Amino acid sequence: MTISREDIEKVAVLARIRVDDGQVSALEKDLGNILDLVDQLSVADTDSVEPMAHPLNAVQRLRPDEVTETNQREAFQAIAPATENGLYLVPRVIE
Amino acid sequence: MHNKSVAELSRELESGKISSVELTREYLGRLKKEDEQLNSFISITEDQALADAHAADEQRAAGKGTRWTGVPFAHKDIFCTNGVATTCGSKMLANFVPPYDATVTENFRKAGAVCLGKTNMDEFAMGSSTESSHFGATTNPWGLSKGEKRVPGGSSGGSAAAVAARLVPAATATDTGGSIRQPAALCGVTGLKPTYGRVSRYGMIAFASSLDQGGAMARSAEDAALMLNVMAGFDPKDSTSIDREVPDYTATLDEPLKGLRIGLPKEYFADNLSAAMEEQVRGAIREYEKLGATVKEISLPHANLAIAAYYVIAPAEASANLSRFDGARYGYRCEDPKDLMDMYTRTRAEGFGAEVKRRILVGTYALSAGYFDAYYLKAQKVRRLIQQDFIEAFREVDVLMSPTTPSPAFVQGEKSNDPVTMYLEDVFTVAINLAGIPAMSVPAGFVDGLPVGLQIIGDYFSEARLLNAAHQFQQVTDWHQRAPQ
């Protein structure tokens, strides 16, 4: 299966990964080969098969709606790239 | 001393024949001397290890020791360790020092074990050769004496190489599509992937959440049982953890195998297996027959679709899990981003390696509008068919046996430029993760001087039976005792 340059550029935007022009050709080949591999799935007759999301058919376990976590903001922000006044600093979004 | 098993070291610590500090110093010395050519560790935590060893000796002196008190081991660098860098083999997390412990880490800490450091791995556990680590490739200790640089398998290649080279008696590992069993096979050690949900995933950096499972890498099945005794159990902090009683996995190791029904999946003994590999595996199965087991051929009709299903589901889940690495709260951030989108896209382009980016892109594509049904939904349906094959098989037999890998350890660089060829390294292991059942790899011979693994596959929560079968095999063979020169 072929995957087009446009597809790769679109997916890269969705995945939030910058892909340079020089990388697109290699990705076209690699992703095309991977999609060829996964296209083998089309031979399976799955019309009456339930999709399997969990090997043990477990359902999402819920817990009481109670606060149990303590505030660890300082510990978490100590490993952040940039913080100020207890907030995470990121580049300006609105001019 | 470094040739002793966890069980033997535990007994010697208990008898006072050696102290944990002496033992830890010996392993640290060995590690610093020998690991230069293997690169099996990303970090060595010498000061913390010696402090823990002192504490363990005091605990033993006070009569409060467990089987693990004072025993050295290592963690795969995917398990969060409070105050110790946890990189997952990635530039993205090269500066990440977690403020908390994974449940597995905490369990070993509570048991008194002494962690010597964190082992190397494929970046975010994506790989079958431990060549994609940001911290350089790990080399398989087998082959080094002939001047060959071979891969240790992946992604837990650091743990496997370290155990094989006797740099640690045991190490934790994780398995998403074969990442415990495949490196165990290529390095000639024993690797156990438990049932999905048996070991907590809390604090284990997620790759594919419905497939990832923590497990054990050790020299013997007995040591793997000792590890699983520490690792297994329900964890309320992990919503995928299973609340089910945990047996003592060492209690049934000595049970005889007479009457054990072994199934050989015919699809795993097909064209892609070399004659030399098949001969070794069939030789191991004959040992089981001598121990009283019966053997029959069975079929897993959808086995040939496992790789295809896996390479939709795993990248799809990876694309979601790895979206958290955006440079905002922790980990790598690119220099001088001009706006938020620039920060996200450049951080992720610079922080992730080639294989991780490939899988994120494939996963994003498979989940995107117009392709979801054709890829992701289809793969989840095929996954059900694969699971049903195993359920059917376990109606007829107690365990399944197969080769763990199609070939012995390959030379570094041989497959790293061809993702699809690399993916086929896990052809005998991925179906087990899709079904969520447990499996082991045990050393079962050599081809061209390189180790061969026998894969033993069991029904859900049959870890005790697998360990028993592996232990009995190791009582009548010495493949697991062989060490690289």
Side-chain angles (χ1 to χ4, degrees):
Chain A
M1 174 174 175
T2 55
I3 179 165
S4 68
R5 174 171 282 263
E6 291 71 35
D7 281 338
I8 288 173
E9 286 166 354
K10 188 177 143 196
V11 168
V13 170
L14 291 173
R16 302 289 189 264
I17 294 177
R18 176 166 298 180
V19 174
D20 297 332
D21 285 348
Q23 298 171 307
V24 175
S25 297
L27 281 169
E28 269 183 278
K29 176 174 164 273
D30 286 343
L31 301 194
N33 288 342
I34 294 168
L35 292 174
D36 278 344
L37 176 77
V38 304
D39 271 345
Q40 292 170 15
L41 293 173
S42 60
V43 304
D45 178 3
T46 54
D47 285 350
S48 56
V49 179
E50 277 288 302
M52 176 178 154
H54 190 287
L56 301 164
N57 298 323
V59 293
Q60 184 67 43
R61 194 171 56 242
L62 301 176
R63 63 184 180 194
D65 185 17
E66 293 166 0
V67 176
T68 55
E69 291 296 313
T70 53
N71 184 358
Q72 299 180 69
R73 185 166 69 181
E74 284 180 18
F76 294 139
Q77 292 204 334
I79 54 173
T83 59
E84 191 176 291
N85 298 328
L87 304 172
Y88 291 90
L89 288 186
V90 294
R92 185 187 296 272
V93 181
I94 302 166
E95 294 296 331
Chain B
M1 191 57 71
H2 60 264
N3 276 316
K4 292 190 185 299
S5 66
V6 170
E8 288 167 330
L9 294 174
S10 179
R11 281 194 291 271
E12 300 210 346
L13 286 163
E14 176 64 27
S15 70
K17 197 170 169 185
I18 190 167
S19 73
S20 177
V21 170
E22 288 171 305
L23 193 56
T24 301
R25 280 192 203 283
E26 172 160 337
Y27 271 108
L28 285 169
R30 194 170 158 72
L31 229 174
K32 283 190 272 187
K33 187 172 155 219
E34 303 288 338
D35 200 43
E36 204 170 309
Q37 54 179 347
L38 299 179
N39 195 32
S40 66
F41 274 67
I42 290 175
S43 56
I44 299 173
T45 49
E46 181 172 4
D47 292 344
Q48 185 64 53
L50 287 169
D52 290 347
H54 274 290
D57 284 336
E58 284 173 13
Q59 214 174 347
R60 287 242 183 228
K64 293 177 185 166
T66 73
R67 295 288 292 273
W68 276 95
T69 304
V71 177
F73 80 114
H75 277 304
K76 182 176 179 178
D77 208 17
I78 198 169
F79 289 101
C80 284
T81 37
N82 192 354
V84 175
T86 300
T87 71
C88 222
S90 180
K91 179 180 176 183
M92 185 64 87
L93 289 176
N95 62 359
F96 175 54
V97 179
Y100 71 106
D101 271 330
T103 297
V104 163
T105 311
E106 195 182 337
N107 287 351
F108 274 101
R109 207 188 287 280
K110 281 182 185 163
V114 175
C115 180
L116 302 183
K118 309 291 290 290
T119 59
N120 205 354
M121 56 181 286
D122 278 305
E123 185 181 7
F124 285 104
M126 296 180 193
S128 306
S129 66
T130 311
E131 291 173 288
S132 74
S133 169
H134 173 64
F135 302 91
T138 294
T139 301
N140 192 326
W142 292 95
L144 270 177
S145 63
K146 290 194 277 182
E148 298 167 344
K149 294 195 90 172
R150 292 184 178 271
V151 303
S155 65
S156 309
S159 292
V163 172
R166 309 322 195 219
L167 304 187
V168 281
T172 56
T174 63
D175 193 314
T176 304
S179 285
I180 292 176
R181 291 156 287 152
Q182 187 253 13
L186 300 195
C187 290
V189 301
T190 301
L192 167 67
K193 182 207 93 74
T195 306
Y196 180 78
R198 181 82 288 191
V199 170
S200 172
R201 293 174 47 249
Y202 177 79
M204 194 176 105
I205 295 167
F207 158 17
S209 301
S210 78
L211 304 164
D212 297 340
Q213 185 55 214
M217 195 78 82
R219 298 242 315 275
S220 67
E222 183 183 21
D223 285 1
L226 285 167
M227 289 188 78
L228 193 59
N229 276 353
V230 174
M231 298 175 84
F234 173 65
D235 181 6
K237 288 188 279 193
D238 171 10
S239 65
T240 61
S241 171
I242 302 296
D243 191 359
R244 186 176 166 125
E245 194 182 342
V246 179
D248 175 355
Y249 292 105
T250 61
T252 46
L253 290 174
D254 292 326
E255 287 184 359
L257 296 187
K258 190 166 172 50
L260 182 78
R261 297 171 303 162
I262 298 172
L264 304 185
K266 64 180 181 187
E267 292 80 5
Y268 288 180
F269 290 85
D271 298 343
N272 50 0
L273 183 66
S274 75
M277 289 288 291
E278 181 166 355
E279 189 183 321
Q280 294 300 302
V281 173
R282 290 204 182 269
I285 290 159
R286 282 195 291 277
E287 291 295 335
Y288 276 97
E289 290 181 293
K290 287 183 205 164
L291 290 167
T294 58
V295 176
K296 73 182 284 191
E297 185 180 88
I298 60 107
S299 178
L300 301 172
H302 300 93
N304 63 330
L305 297 175
I307 290 265
Y310 178 84
Y311 279 100
V312 172
I313 294 167
E317 294 186 8
S319 72
N321 274 323
L322 272 61
S323 64
R324 73 191 67 179
F325 300 110
D326 56 7
R329 290 145 298 165
Y330 62 103
Y332 175 79
R333 178 187 287 185
C334 66
E335 291 286 330
D336 300 322
K338 66 178 169 54
D339 57 29
L340 201 59
M341 187 60 91
D342 184 52
M343 184 183 91
Y344 292 155
T345 58
R346 264 203 304 129
T347 290
R348 289 162 65 77
E350 294 168 17
F352 291 137
E355 179 60 20
V356 173
K357 283 189 267 197
R358 257 196 300 266
R359 294 201 197 190
I360 290 174
L361 293 171
V362 167
T364 305
Y365 183 76
L367 291 175
S368 62
Y371 297 102
F372 180 87
D373 285 2
Y375 288 112
Y376 188 72
L377 197 64
K378 182 80 177 179
Q380 292 288 51
K381 289 182 175 184
V382 170
R383 185 179 188 179
R384 174 80 66 195
L385 295 174
I386 289 167
Q387 182 202 34
Q388 284 170 351
D389 286 352
F390 283 113
I391 290 170
E392 286 298 318
F394 289 121
R395 289 200 175 106
E396 294 184 53
V397 295
D398 301 310
V399 294
L400 301 171
M401 290 191 185
S402 78
T404 309
T405 61
S407 56
F410 48 95
V411 174
Q412 284 177 357
E414 192 179 310
K415 301 184 181 183
S416 50
N417 290 325
D418 184 351
V420 170
T421 306
M422 186 73 88
Y423 296 170
L424 295 175
E425 278 302 302
D426 295 331
V427 67
F428 301 138
T429 54
V430 293
I432 284 89
N433 299 73
L434 290 167
I437 53 179
M440 291 185 73
S441 180
V442 292
F446 288 85
V447 167
D448 298 331
L450 299 167
V452 169
L454 169 74
Q455 181 170 228
I456 313 173
I457 306 161
D459 203 353
Y460 293 100
F461 299 101
S462 66
E463 289 83 0
R465 173 172 271 170
L466 296 185
L467 288 160
N468 164 233
H471 180 70
Q472 290 304 303
F473 179 70
Q474 291 179 343
Q475 299 309 294
V476 295
T477 60
D478 70 347
W479 304 118
H480 65 295
Q481 303 283 12
R482 311 276 182 100
Q485 296 298 309

